[in-house]
Amino acid sequence: MVNRGSHNTGNLQTARFRTRKLSPSAITLYTFFIFAFSIFVFLFYVRNIVEDEQPQHPLLSVESRSEQVPKLHVHDDRLWGSPLNPGLHPCVKPTTKYKGSQNSDHYLTVRSNGGLNQMRTGISDMVAVAHIMNATLVIPQLDKRSFWQDSSVFSDIFDELHFIESLKGDVRIVRELPKHLEGAPRARKHFTSWSGVGYFEEMTKLWNDYQVVHVAKSDSRLANNNLPLDIQKLRCRAMYHALRFSPPIESLGKKLVERLRPLGGRYIALHLRYEKDMLSFTGCTYGLTDAESEELRIMRENTNHWKVKYINSTEQRIGGFCPLTPKEVGIFLQALGFPPSTLIYIAAGDIYGGNTHLLELSSRFPNLVFKESLVTPEELQALTNHASQWAALDYIISVESDVFIPSYSGNMARAVEGHRRFLGHRRTISPDRKGLVEIFDKLETGELDEGPSLSHLVQRMHKNRQGAPRKRQGSLPGIKGRARFRTEEAFYENPYPECICSSRR
Ligand SMILES: *[C@@H]1O[C@H](CO)[C@@H](O)[C@H](O)[C@H]1NC(C)=O
Ligand SMILES: *[C@@H]1O[C@H](CO)[C@@H](O)[C@H](O)[C@H]1NC(C)=O
């Protein structure tokens, strides 16, 4: 601003001098002096600001801004506090009937697929599968071909030694297949999704002919429900204890949380899934330009493993299948009662359309923080081309946040919500997108105005969507066959009751 102003002044002065018919070199000299003087004034001014603000961390200049805004009030516990969870605690120890690992010479190799969170839940399930099948698990290969293009191997993302050690009593895990088995014929399996223990016990017949079974995709997940209690607890031990991130990621994650807190104390982690791949996949083009919609359509057309090519965006949105737009998130948070000063960490990759779309959120909530602004250039350098490591940092910051809000219910949203439930029902607000879209449309037509009545509607709609303790929900009524599995609440989204217990028993 200041810079631009002084430049204009310079032009005006030049114009005035010209009328006095000064020689061109004198004009240049004058212009130079005036320019130099404005720079001097500018620097002096900037130095004063810097001295006044004294930021504790050079990257975190937002701090001073958040100090000017009024402090939050105590009654804001309604917004920030954890829902009541009397006497609940994690319980993942095996029961007395549990049989631990065998020193098996049958091996399960796994190629993990999908993004970070899909891989994490998939690997946790494969730990349970290896246990049921009485196999030794070879450290899974990670997906390098997915949308997230990432060359990381298991030990880049996870603490491999800890993974092996902490599951020692459950499954034997080795880094690599023994040399003598490298060339051995393998059974290649695509396990049927939502299978129970019986299915995998049946699969042990494979050991009659093969010593190695290769699982081509780890996302063929176990059934959510009706598994033995000890299998469910094992899944939790794998997911919440064994699959710790690698030490560099864990420590950077902690650092980022520590850098974030001073900017406003409490913070919301907003999983703003307004990314190109998600919009293209869901076919949600509401609020986008024709050119943007077309770009998304072409991406969907060209992505082979996305089966649905034609999507009616309007129907998607009405059905509640679209991620909330940045603008919608802004209206939503405001209606919930969060003040404009609220510190919001954006847990996401690149927001589609960048600032043009983000402005509609930042105009209401200016204290948005992106991880790029939290890391130092050296840290940033180390993370380049490692989408999964970025995602791991988002995961840590989201689990540690005071309030977690996903704008879409994908793998990350489910995994973080479940982990927060496990750790003591930390507040997770899940937008009722179907209900909200109706409200947003009424705002658009003028049937409804922003203000107390909107607030009241939105708050009532989300009274029971704040992550309070409840048992995992079964399938929706009236849905038959395998389709019903998809309507069940996912195991890792809510591991209650198997891995969360009441002390009053
Ligand atoms: C597990 O495998 C080992 C060797 O591969 C075998 O000795 C043991 O009996 C098996 N246990 C069960 C329960 O199948
Ligand atoms: C999409 O669905 C909406 C609502 O059902 C309908 O009004 C509209 O005509 C559809 N658009 C197209 C291009 O089919």
Side-chain angles (χ1 to χ4, degrees):
M1 286 290 259
V2 179
N3 225 343
R4 194 147 32 103
S6 57
H7 184 70
N8 288 342
T9 318
N11 283 343
L12 282 176
Q13 299 286 357
T14 317
R16 194 153 53 84
F17 290 143
R18 221 174 251 141
T19 57
R20 285 192 218 152
K21 296 205 162 44
L22 288 176
S23 72
S25 63
I27 293 174
T28 314
L29 199 67
Y30 268 112
T31 314
F32 174 77
F33 270 119
I34 288 160
F35 188 59
F37 180 68
S38 15
I39 287 187
F40 173 76
V41 170
F42 172 64
L43 288 180
F44 184 77
Y45 178 58
V46 167
R47 204 182 53 133
N48 277 348
I49 296 178
V50 171
E51 276 172 6
D52 284 345
E53 291 187 353
Q54 292 181 335
Q56 286 166 7
H57 188 290
L59 291 167
L60 306 183
S61 50
V62 199
E63 180 169 19
S64 50
R65 229 194 302 157
S66 53
E67 264 169 16
Q68 288 159 9
V69 300
K71 290 270 176 259
L72 297 169
H73 300 296
V74 182
H75 72 255
D76 285 331
D77 260 4
R78 181 181 59 79
L79 286 172
W80 293 98
S82 284
L84 285 180
N85 55 344
L88 294 178
H89 59 88
C91 52
V92 297
K93 283 211 185 95
T95 69
T96 50
K97 281 182 264 164
Y98 184 66
K99 286 199 197 72
S101 65
Q102 325 259 337
N103 205 6
S104 168
D105 57 357
H106 296 140
Y107 290 83
L108 201 62
T109 59
V110 175
R111 204 183 75 79
S112 229
N113 65 310
L116 175 75
N117 291 291
Q118 198 176 339
M119 292 197 285
R120 254 182 112 235
T121 48
I123 292 169
S124 300
D125 275 2
M126 287 306 132
V127 166
V129 167
H131 176 86
I132 298 168
M133 289 184 68
N134 188 13
T136 293
L137 179 68
V138 180
I139 289 287
Q141 286 171 273
L142 300 190
D143 194 339
K144 296 189 176 62
R145 294 184 305 190
S146 79
F147 176 80
W148 287 272
Q149 294 294 324
D150 187 332
S151 60
S152 307
V153 296
F154 190 92
S155 60
D156 292 328
I157 309 247
F158 302 109
D159 187 337
E160 191 172 272
L161 188 65
H162 174 79
F163 180 65
I164 294 173
E165 286 293 310
S166 77
L167 291 170
K168 212 158 58 182
D170 301 297
V171 181
R172 188 165 79 104
I173 302 173
V174 294
R175 286 210 163 87
E176 287 168 343
L177 265 186
K179 281 269 169 292
H180 72 278
L181 286 177
E182 270 171 11
R186 302 182 191 186
R188 294 181 184 274
K189 282 303 293 181
H190 280 97
F191 291 139
T192 305
S193 274
W194 322 115
S195 298
V197 168
Y199 171 85
F200 290 104
E201 278 171 354
E202 189 75 10
M203 286 291 142
T204 57
K205 279 189 187 146
L206 289 167
W207 302 136
N208 298 338
D209 300 314
Y210 298 94
Q211 226 178 323
V212 183
V213 170
H214 178 71
V215 184
K217 280 175 142 207
S218 65
D219 73 337
S220 43
R221 51 204 102 164
L222 252 65
N224 293 309
N225 302 307
N226 304 321
L227 293 182
L229 183 59
D230 270 321
I231 294 301
Q232 301 289 52
K233 284 179 187 288
L234 174 55
R235 291 168 101 182
C236 290
R237 287 201 293 282
M239 179 79 172
Y240 304 126
H241 290 174
L243 274 179
R244 199 157 75 184
F245 293 116
S246 67
I249 294 180
E250 283 285 337
S251 92
L252 182 54
K254 278 206 191 83
K255 268 190 228 161
L256 298 192
V257 172
E258 280 163 18
R259 289 173 197 169
L260 192 54
R261 290 246 175 244
L263 304 182
R266 297 188 276 198
Y267 71 93
I268 294 178
L270 173 65
H271 184 42
L272 190 56
R273 194 73 168 91
Y274 202 71
E275 295 153 296
K276 190 175 175 185
D277 66 313
M278 178 48 69
L279 294 176
S280 173
F281 175 69
T282 54
C284 293
T285 57
Y286 173 78
L288 298 179
T289 64
D290 288 349
E292 287 171 325
S293 308
E294 184 60 8
E295 182 186 34
L296 296 177
R297 192 191 61 75
I298 290 167
M299 180 180 183
R300 184 167 61 248
E301 197 66 40
N302 292 338
T303 307
N304 289 334
H305 59 278
W306 292 348
K307 298 294 172 233
V308 184
K309 299 297 180 189
Y310 175 75
I311 299 176
N312 181 327
S313 173
T314 312
E315 280 175 7
Q316 281 287 93
R317 184 163 176 275
I318 295 171
F321 304 118
C322 289
L324 296 182
T325 68
K327 180 181 179 182
E328 291 170 339
V329 170
I331 300 173
F332 175 56
L333 293 182
Q334 209 160 26
L336 285 175
F338 287 101
S341 61
T342 303
L343 181 63
I344 302 176
Y345 174 79
I346 305 291
D350 292 334
I351 303 304
Y352 188 58
N355 274 337
T356 34
H357 295 308
L358 265 175
L359 262 173
E360 299 180 317
L361 172 60
S362 60
S363 58
R364 289 167 193 261
F365 293 93
N367 283 342
L368 300 184
V369 180
F370 296 84
K371 58 184 145 337
E372 288 84 353
S373 67
L374 285 178
V375 295
T376 65
E378 296 77 45
E379 289 161 350
L380 183 64
Q381 184 64 32
L383 288 164
T384 314
N385 296 327
H386 290 100
S388 291
Q389 299 182 27
W390 273 126
L393 293 172
D394 274 345
Y395 186 91
I396 295 172
I397 297 172
S398 297
V399 167
E400 291 305 318
S401 66
D402 299 277
V403 175
F404 173 63
I405 303 181
S407 68
Y408 183 78
S409 58
N411 291 310
M412 155 110 172
R414 282 193 290 266
V416 170
E417 175 176 350
H419 205 155
R420 291 172 66 84
R421 288 178 177 281
F422 180 76
L423 290 173
H425 292 93
R426 299 175 179 179
R427 187 177 298 262
T428 297
I429 305 176
S430 312
D432 176 352
R433 284 169 311 193
K434 197 162 181 237
L436 282 173
V437 162
E438 274 178 42
I439 290 181
F440 296 145
D441 286 347
K442 285 195 180 139
L443 282 176
E444 204 138 281
T445 58
E447 277 173 79
L448 202 64
D449 285 323
E450 285 193 54
S453 63
L454 173 84
S455 247
H456 181 72
L457 267 177
V458 169
Q459 287 175 15
R460 202 179 49 195
M461 187 180 277
H462 292 85
K463 199 161 165 272
N464 295 322
R465 304 179 71 99
Q466 314 248 347
R470 56 167 175 74
K471 287 185 181 163
R472 192 168 57 259
Q473 284 160 351
S475 56
L476 291 178
I479 296 179
K480 295 271 176 299
R482 304 190 60 76
R484 74 183 188 281
F485 293 125
R486 297 204 175 275
T487 71
E488 290 174 350
E489 196 172 14
F491 177 75
Y492 298 106
E493 185 177 358
N494 184 3
Y496 187 15
E498 295 92 337
C499 304
I500 299 172
C501 303
S502 165
S503 40
R504 298 186 257 148
R505 268 210 245 198

